[in-house]
């Protein structure tokens, strides 16, 4: 099933938020999310929620409550549509969705700490078991979306490929890919990452393909080009040129070979992914005069030298994709310095791995839920009182 990309919640054309919610839910029916049937049984819930519902049932008590969900930090909301479908389809046995009302922010909405993201009203026993999966869904999706948005903002309009699939459990690829799209990523690296919105995996060629050709970057690129031209003609050929730690020489060799074999314009770009522990061969002499570490990995002088070398031989149309250890702050440095990068590939940092606020990224994005009303009266833990939010949109179950 293919689904169109949802309109971002902050799109200036989407002035009717209720209509935006309807359109978003229309693109994402509950079947898209393939919820585990054990959610309804509480198997995926913190056990104390299940025991709380059982205690109320034994006491023949079924209070009507308002549950408030809030974010603990600023960022971008993602997972709201999934959360709505979770509530819609996974209520406890004996309860219909009509017994519950739900107000929510929209996927793509900015959110501030302590701002209410959802209000859920109804019999507590109907949704007591859903607090765990609902908060987990919002937390994971919003973490990825928020980090991607930070990278997108830093890249100043240049395309960003979400390459996080290899850095986490394969079971989260589809949901992470959707969250990356909500955050603004132009493409994802796996088909699973685009499954919810009809996208396909993008990207270049792996180092493994070059290794399979005995380390011959030119041979691997030509073979890759022949394959995509025959079977996936819409795929741009971008060669990975750091395999031998000699990006200038290999990029030029690839560009010449591609032009000879297929004509001008056949090579869309080259990707540089130099290890942060190494200095490219073209900069070895310069590195002797530079501070330690200044020229390791993918750095501005390397990209500028590569751009100049390509341009000198008439390959101005060949773009340079930079990847390997890029964070919002590193991208901002490249952009401020006017480094001639055509796009960025960003992976593990978008999941919060090995990074932190110093890199302009979030390592976590937690949500909390509290009962804040009981049978229509205020009833909340100290400091967790009801905080209305005019931006919430009420879900119309019909």
């Amino acid at each position: 099933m293919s689904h169109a990309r949802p309109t971002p919640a902050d799109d200036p054309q989407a002035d009717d938020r209720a209509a935006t919610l309807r359109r978003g839910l229309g693109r994402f029916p509950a079947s898209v999310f393939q919820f585990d049937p054990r959610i309804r049984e509480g198997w995926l819930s913190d056990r104390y929620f299940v025991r709380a519902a059982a205690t109320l049932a034994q006491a023949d008590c079924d209070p009507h409550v308002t549950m408030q969900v809030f974010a603990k930090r600023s960022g971008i909301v993602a997972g709201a549509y999934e959360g709505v479908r979770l509530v819609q389809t996974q209520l406890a046995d004996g309860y219909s969705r009509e017994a519950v009302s739900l107000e929510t922010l929209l996927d793509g909405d900015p959110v501030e700490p302590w701002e209410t993201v959802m209000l859920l009203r109804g019999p507590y026993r109907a949704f007591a078991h859903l607090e765990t999966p609902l908060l987990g869904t919002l937390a994971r999706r919003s973490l990825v979306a928020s980090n991607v948005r930070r990278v997108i903002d830093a890249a100043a309009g240049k395309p960003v490929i979400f390459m996080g699939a290899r850095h986490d459990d394969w079971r989260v690829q589809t949901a992470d890919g959707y969250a990356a799209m909500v955050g603004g990523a132009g493409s994802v690296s796996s088909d699973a990452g685009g499954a919810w919105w009809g996208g396909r995996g993008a990207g270049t060629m792996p180092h493994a393909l070059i290794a399979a050709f005995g380390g011959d970057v030119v041979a691997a690129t030509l073979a890759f080009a022949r394959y995509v031209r025959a079977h996936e003609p819409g795929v741009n050929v971008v060669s990975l040129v750091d395999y031998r730690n000699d990006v200038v020489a290999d990029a030029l060799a690839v560009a010449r070979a591609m032009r000879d074999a297929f004509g001008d314009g056949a090579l869309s770009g080259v990707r540089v992914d130099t290890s942060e522990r190494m200095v490219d061969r073209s900069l070895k002499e310069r590195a002797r005069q530079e501070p330690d570490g200044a020229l390791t990995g993918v750095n501005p002088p390397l990209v500028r030298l590569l751009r100049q070398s390509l341009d000198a031989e008439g390959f101005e149309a060949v773009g340079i994709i930079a990847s390997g250890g890029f964070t919002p702050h590193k991208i901002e440095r490249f952009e401020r310095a006017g480094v001639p990068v055509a796009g960025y590939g960003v992976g593990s940092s978008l999941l919060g791995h090995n990074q932190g606020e110093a890199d302009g990224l979030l390592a976590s994005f937690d949500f909390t839920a509290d009962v804040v009303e009981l049978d229509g009266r205020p009833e909340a833990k100290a400091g967790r009182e009801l905080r209305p939010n005019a931006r919430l949109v009420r879900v119309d179950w019909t």
Side-chain angles (χ1 to χ4, degrees), residues 341-353:
V341 172
Y344 298 93
V346 189
S348 63
S349 64
L350 295 175
L351 307 179
H353 294 187

Side-chain angles (χ1 to χ4, degrees), residues 1-303:
M1 181 182 297
S2 175
H3 299 279
R5 292 169 69 102
T7 303
D10 52 2
D11 186 338
Q13 303 300 317
D15 55 358
D16 185 340
R17 289 174 60 78
T20 301
L21 176 62
R22 286 195 298 272
R23 287 195 299 271
L25 292 174
R27 294 183 178 101
F28 297 98
S31 59
V32 168
F33 303 111
Q34 298 181 320
F35 294 122
D36 190 315
R38 294 170 293 185
I39 291 176
R40 185 190 295 269
E41 304 165 10
W43 188 73
L44 289 158
S45 302
D46 293 311
R47 190 64 189 168
Y48 51 76
F49 292 126
V50 178
R51 290 193 176 114
T55 299
L56 289 169
Q58 179 171 313
D60 195 25
C61 181
D62 197 9
H64 188 286
V65 305
T66 299
M67 179 174 285
Q68 178 174 263
V69 176
F70 66 89
K72 291 187 174 182
R73 65 193 321 155
S74 59
I76 301 298
V77 173
Y81 300 156
E82 187 178 356
V84 169
R85 294 304 191 191
L86 178 74
V87 172
Q88 175 190 350
T89 62
Q90 304 300 316
L91 294 173
D93 289 339
Y95 295 92
S96 68
R97 65 188 185 190
E98 287 74 24
V100 174
S101 70
L102 177 60
E103 297 171 64
T104 182
L105 290 182
L106 309 179
D107 277 354
D109 271 340
V111 65
E112 294 299 324
W114 299 93
E115 183 177 3
T116 301
V117 173
M118 282 187 177
L119 285 176
L120 185 58
R121 293 184 171 93
Y124 180 65
R125 282 161 46 188
F127 51 79
H129 62 295
L130 294 183
E131 182 170 333
T132 304
L134 176 61
L135 297 184
T137 293
L138 290 167
R140 175 70 183 205
R141 309 294 177 265
S142 298
L143 169 66
V144 175
S146 298
N147 278 337
V148 170
R149 182 64 61 85
R150 290 181 176 208
V151 168
I152 294 297
D153 291 343
K158 292 180 179 177
V160 173
I161 302 174
F162 176 72
M163 302 176 68
R166 75 192 70 179
H167 300 290
D168 216 328
D169 190 320
W170 60 268
R171 282 163 286 203
V172 298
Q173 277 192 40
T174 299
D176 281 358
Y178 169 75
M181 183 275 298
V182 170
S187 55
V188 292
S189 63
S190 72
D191 288 350
W196 284 355
W197 45 278
R200 296 292 303 274
T204 57
M205 49 192 286
H207 292 99
L209 180 62
I210 301 171
F213 280 87
D216 190 329
V217 181
V218 171
T221 304
L222 291 175
F224 177 65
R226 293 187 187 103
Y227 163 75
V228 297
R229 291 168 75 89
H231 301 286
E232 298 186 59
V235 173
N236 292 327
V237 177
V238 179
S239 181
L240 187 54
V241 295
D242 61 276
Y243 185 88
R244 300 188 314 120
N245 199 40
D246 196 0
V247 301
V248 174
D250 283 341
L252 290 175
V254 165
R256 295 171 192 140
M258 285 289 292
R259 181 172 58 191
D260 292 344
F262 307 109
D264 289 330
L267 182 64
S268 175
V270 293
R271 179 161 71 96
V272 184
D273 192 50
T274 305
S275 168
E276 65 274 10
R277 296 183 295 121
M278 300 182 70
V279 176
D280 186 82
R281 187 172 303 174
S282 64
L283 297 178
K284 287 291 176 66
E285 289 300 322
R286 179 172 173 174
R288 293 189 176 95
Q289 284 77 45
E290 296 283 345
D292 289 344
L295 296 178
T296 58
V298 182
N299 57 76
L302 179 60
V303 176

